[in-house]
């Protein structure tokens, strides 16, 4: 991970490989003018106040994510100035948006792969800005090179030019003796490192991350951070009647697991439960996915990775709230022992489900875990899952959908996602779609109407939430895995989406602001 430090040192005298500054598009009154953002005053002064003009000559516009490089001025110990676009300039007396800072820092960190040290002279108006820049740096510098020759041999030139992630970032303007600044840095470090842990899990190949391996990783992390862990293996699942998880995992040589992670605080007044879909590989089962739809299905455990990371982050932050994470882990494979379309499964809740499509498996493992979570009567339950292609059709590849059995709670989750910079959108649960899941042989079928399939899945899950329990469902199918090029602080591959939303919900709950 990139090491982070705060410093009040002046940019000219700092030994580093680069000085990162922010630039923005001018306000409407100065349309077309480039603005050098606060934090870069010393750099601008060294250019005799003409830094904006020099950058404009080089083609800089201040657009979000734009990077412009130029030699550092005489007298600087760093050889390079890297200007990164922040987008539009804020209104008078307003600070730059936290997400703009986060993205800019992420772009700069990724651009500086291979560098040992960089100084970030971005706007730091308050502790929130310190946290945003710190998050952007750690998340933007992320690289998954475990299986590349460059990771095994530092001299090898494999992967992205064989460059290691940025080793150290100094946040200029951050006050190392200021309690609020130090707290913001510590929070950003913990959350970002755990989010990157989730990315690592999502990017791991499924031959190395089956349910047992995932459970072992969770056990090791729990031991390290003082989290109580319980793992139900296939025998315990059978004894307990977890028909959904067992049914999905029945076709695989790798047996399923249900992992319970319990972080408790002696000062907690509330209890949150997070439930994650953990299909370590999804072939579709007997309802086999067609070619072109299964190459990235190692990411179908992104919900469980997010829940795992959020619980560990809550423990590292010492939040005054009890947080229980449920990881429903299985591999969905076709074989002679696999669940067939037409089979009926008896779930942990006692309800029976007619399986019409074995590729609608995520809702089956979640149903068992949701019911298990409900038995502890938490104040709220949030499940996270790469659940439906329909949600991707509705919201695209960068936005997740939020459904809930309580409108106020749905709004709270949405606002939390917006606050941390995770694109999301509230979605309804139309009652008329429930009838499509009526089954002639079971209590409910795992499929309903094709149109509105993401909402149908949400309605199915709602059936397995305990009575009177507040619940929300995050369908992260779109943003969980980035198949395109990197952008902002988001890499190609696993993104770790929803981790920051879950952590923020835990923080709000600890503060008594759950809503």
């Amino acid at each position: 991970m990139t090491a982070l430090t705060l410093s009040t040192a002046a940019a000219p005298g700092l030994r580093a490989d680069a000085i990162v500054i922010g630039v923005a598009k001018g306000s409407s009154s100065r349309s077309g003018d480039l603005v050098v953002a606060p934090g870069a005053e010393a750099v601008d002064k060294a250019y005799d106040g003409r830094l904006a003009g020099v950058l404009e000559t080089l083609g800089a516009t201040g657009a979000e994510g734009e990077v412009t490089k130029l030699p550092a001025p005489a007298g600087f110990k760093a050889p390079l100035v890297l200007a990164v676009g922040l987008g539009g300039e804020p209104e008078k007396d307003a600070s730059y948006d936290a997400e703009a800072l986060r993205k800019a820092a992420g772009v700069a960190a990724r651009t500086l792969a291979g560098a040992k040290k960089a100084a970030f002279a971005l706007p730091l108006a308050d502790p929130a800005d310190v946290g945003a820049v710190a998050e952007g740096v750690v998340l933007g510098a992320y690289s998954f090179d475990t299986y590349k020759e460059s990771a095994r041999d530092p001299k090898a030139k494999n992967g992205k030019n064989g460059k290691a992630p940025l080793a150290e970032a100094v946040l200029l303007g951050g006050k190392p003796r200021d309690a609020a600044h130090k707290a913001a840095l510590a929070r950003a470090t913990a959350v970002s490192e755990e989010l990157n842990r989730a990315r690592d899990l999502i990017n791991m190949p499924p031959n190395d991350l089956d349910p047992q391996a995932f459970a072992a990783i969770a056990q090791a992390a729990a031991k390290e951070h003082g989290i109580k862990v319980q793992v139900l293996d296939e025998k315990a699942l059978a004894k307990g009647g977890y028909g959904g998880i067992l049914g999905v995992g029945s076709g695989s040589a790798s047996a399923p697991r249900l992992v319970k992670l319990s972080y408790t605080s002696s000062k907690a007044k509330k209890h949150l439960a997070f439930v994650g879909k953990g299909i370590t590989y999804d072939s579709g089962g007997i309802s086999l996915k067609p070619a072109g739809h299964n190459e990235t299905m190692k990411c179908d455990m992104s919900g469980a990775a997010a829940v795992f990371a959020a619980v560990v982050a809550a423990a590292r932050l010492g939040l005054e709230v009890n947080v229980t994470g449920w990881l429903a882990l299985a591999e969905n494979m076709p074989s002679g022992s696999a669940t067939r379309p037409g089979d009926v499964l008896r779930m942990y809740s006692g309800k029976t489900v007619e399986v019409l499509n074995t590729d609608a498996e995520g809702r089956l493992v979640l149903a068992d875990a949701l019911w298990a979570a409900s038995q502890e009567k938490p104040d709220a339950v949030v499940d996270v899952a790469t659940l439906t292609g329909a949600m991707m059709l509705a919201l695209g590849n960068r936005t997740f959908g939020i459904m809930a059995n309580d409108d106020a709670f749905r709004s709270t989750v949405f606002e939390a996602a917006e606050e941390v910079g995770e694109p999301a959108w509230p979605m309804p649960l139309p009652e008329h779609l429930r009838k499509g899941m009526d089954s002639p042989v079971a209590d409910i079928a795992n499929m309903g109407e094709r149109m509105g399939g993401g909402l149908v899945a949400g309605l199915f899950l709602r059936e397995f939430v305990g009575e009177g329990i507040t619940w929300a469902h995050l369908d992260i199918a779109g943003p969980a895995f980035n198949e395109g090029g990197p952008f902002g602080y988001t890499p190609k591959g696993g993104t770790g989406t929803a981790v920051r939303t879950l952590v923020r919900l835990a923080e709000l709950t600890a503060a008594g602001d759950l809503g």
Side-chain angles (χ1 to χ4, degrees):
M1 297 290 183
T2 303
L4 298 173
T5 55
L6 303 174
S7 177
T8 55
L14 191 68
R15 293 187 183 277
D17 296 298
I19 305 291
V20 178
I21 66 169
V23 292
K25 295 180 179 181
S27 62
S28 57
S29 62
R30 296 179 293 167
S31 181
D33 291 344
L34 191 70
V35 176
V36 177
E41 291 83 359
V43 182
D44 189 28
K45 182 179 179 181
Y47 283 97
D48 296 325
R50 297 197 297 265
L51 178 55
V54 172
L55 289 168
E56 283 185 320
T57 300
L58 294 173
T61 66
E64 181 183 290
E66 178 186 77
V67 171
T68 308
K69 297 179 181 179
L70 69 162
F76 273 58
K77 292 184 178 179
L80 176 72
V81 171
L82 189 150
V84 60
L86 292 164
E89 185 185 19
E91 297 296 325
K92 185 178 180 181
D93 298 328
S95 60
Y96 282 84
D97 177 73
E99 182 66 0
L101 294 176
R102 200 177 285 118
K103 288 179 178 178
V107 170
R110 186 173 65 252
T111 302
L112 292 169
K116 292 182 179 180
K117 184 176 181 178
F120 283 73
L122 294 172
L124 298 182
D126 52 37
D129 290 348
V130 172
V133 173
E135 279 187 15
V137 170
V138 176
L139 298 179
Y142 174 83
S143 178
F144 185 72
D145 299 320
T146 304
Y147 294 84
K148 294 181 179 179
E149 186 180 10
S150 56
R152 301 189 299 273
D153 180 3
K155 297 181 180 179
K157 294 297 182 182
N158 189 25
K160 187 180 179 181
N161 300 322
K163 294 180 179 178
L166 173 65
E168 181 183 354
V170 181
L171 276 56
L172 298 182
K175 303 171 184 176
R177 296 184 180 180
D178 184 280
H181 281 215
K182 289 193 294 183
L185 185 71
R187 180 195 181 277
T189 300
V191 174
S192 300
E193 288 182 352
E194 293 311 317
L195 192 152
N196 281 344
R197 187 204 295 263
R199 289 172 170 178
D200 281 346
L201 288 167
I202 297 165
N203 288 325
M204 282 182 69
N207 57 317
D208 279 354
L209 189 74
D210 61 12
Q212 297 97 308
F214 197 148
I217 290 170
Q219 286 176 305
K223 182 178 181 181
E224 179 185 355
H225 295 287
I227 298 168
K228 185 178 179 181
V229 61
Q230 179 184 10
V231 178
L232 299 185
D233 62 13
E234 64 271 32
K235 293 181 180 179
L237 290 170
K239 184 177 181 180
Y242 291 85
I245 297 175
L246 286 169
V248 173
S250 63
S252 174
S254 299
R257 295 287 186 270
L258 178 61
V259 179
K260 178 184 176 183
L261 298 166
S262 303
Y263 161 69
T264 57
S265 167
S266 60
K267 299 181 180 180
K269 296 181 179 179
K270 297 286 186 178
H271 176 200
L272 284 181
F274 297 150
V275 177
K277 173 187 173 183
I279 304 299
T280 57
Y281 183 75
D282 182 18
S283 70
I286 297 296
S287 305
L288 194 67
K289 292 179 183 290
H293 290 75
N294 50 20
E295 288 79 2
T296 61
M297 282 299 101
K298 65 180 182 180
C299 79
D300 214 17
M301 35 60 67
S302 296
V307 167
F308 170 41
V311 175
V312 177
R316 289 182 60 176
L317 295 173
L319 299 183
E320 295 179 3
V321 58
N322 293 336
V323 182
T324 305
W326 298 84
L327 316 181
L329 308 176
E331 186 178 60
N332 188 25
M333 297 290 283
S335 74
S337 60
T339 294
R340 297 151 294 215
D343 283 356
V344 174
L345 304 177
R346 184 171 295 279
M347 313 298 281
Y348 181 54
S349 69
K351 287 186 179 181
T352 55
V353 176
E354 182 183 14
V355 179
L356 299 180
N357 187 325
T358 64
D359 196 23
E361 85 298 330
R363 64 198 71 182
L364 298 176
V365 301
L366 285 173
D368 276 353
L370 280 169
W371 190 255
S374 296
Q375 302 317 295
E376 297 189 339
K377 304 296 182 183
D379 293 283
V381 178
V382 181
D383 76 73
V384 188
T386 47
L387 206 60
T388 66
M391 196 56 56
M392 297 172 68
L393 291 173
L395 298 178
N397 293 324
R398 297 190 183 183
T399 304
F400 64 77
I402 305 172
M403 286 155 264
N405 61 2
D406 181 274
D407 289 347
F409 186 56
R410 183 182 61 184
S411 296
T412 297
V413 176
F414 173 55
E415 290 164 6
E418 278 197 316
E419 184 179 349
V420 299
E422 293 191 322
W425 196 250
M427 302 293 283
L429 288 173
E431 293 297 334
H432 71 274
L433 291 175
R434 169 61 182 84
K435 184 172 178 58
M437 289 184 285
D438 286 348
S439 166
V441 298
D443 294 318
I444 190 171
N446 77 328
M447 293 290 289
E449 294 184 29
R450 180 170 176 267
M451 299 301 176
L455 312 182
V456 170
L459 287 165
F460 179 91
L461 295 177
R462 191 182 66 178
E463 297 277 325
F464 298 89
V465 177
E467 186 176 354
I469 294 176
T470 301
W471 158 79
H473 160 56
L474 313 186
D475 189 335
I476 63 170
F481 197 84
N482 176 27
E483 295 187 60
F487 59 92
Y489 50 86
T490 302
K492 183 179 178 67
T495 66
T497 195
V499 172
R500 290 179 293 146
T501 297
L502 295 181
V503 172
R504 188 63 189 136
L505 284 172
E507 289 175 327
L508 290 170
T509 305
D513 298 325
L514 181 61

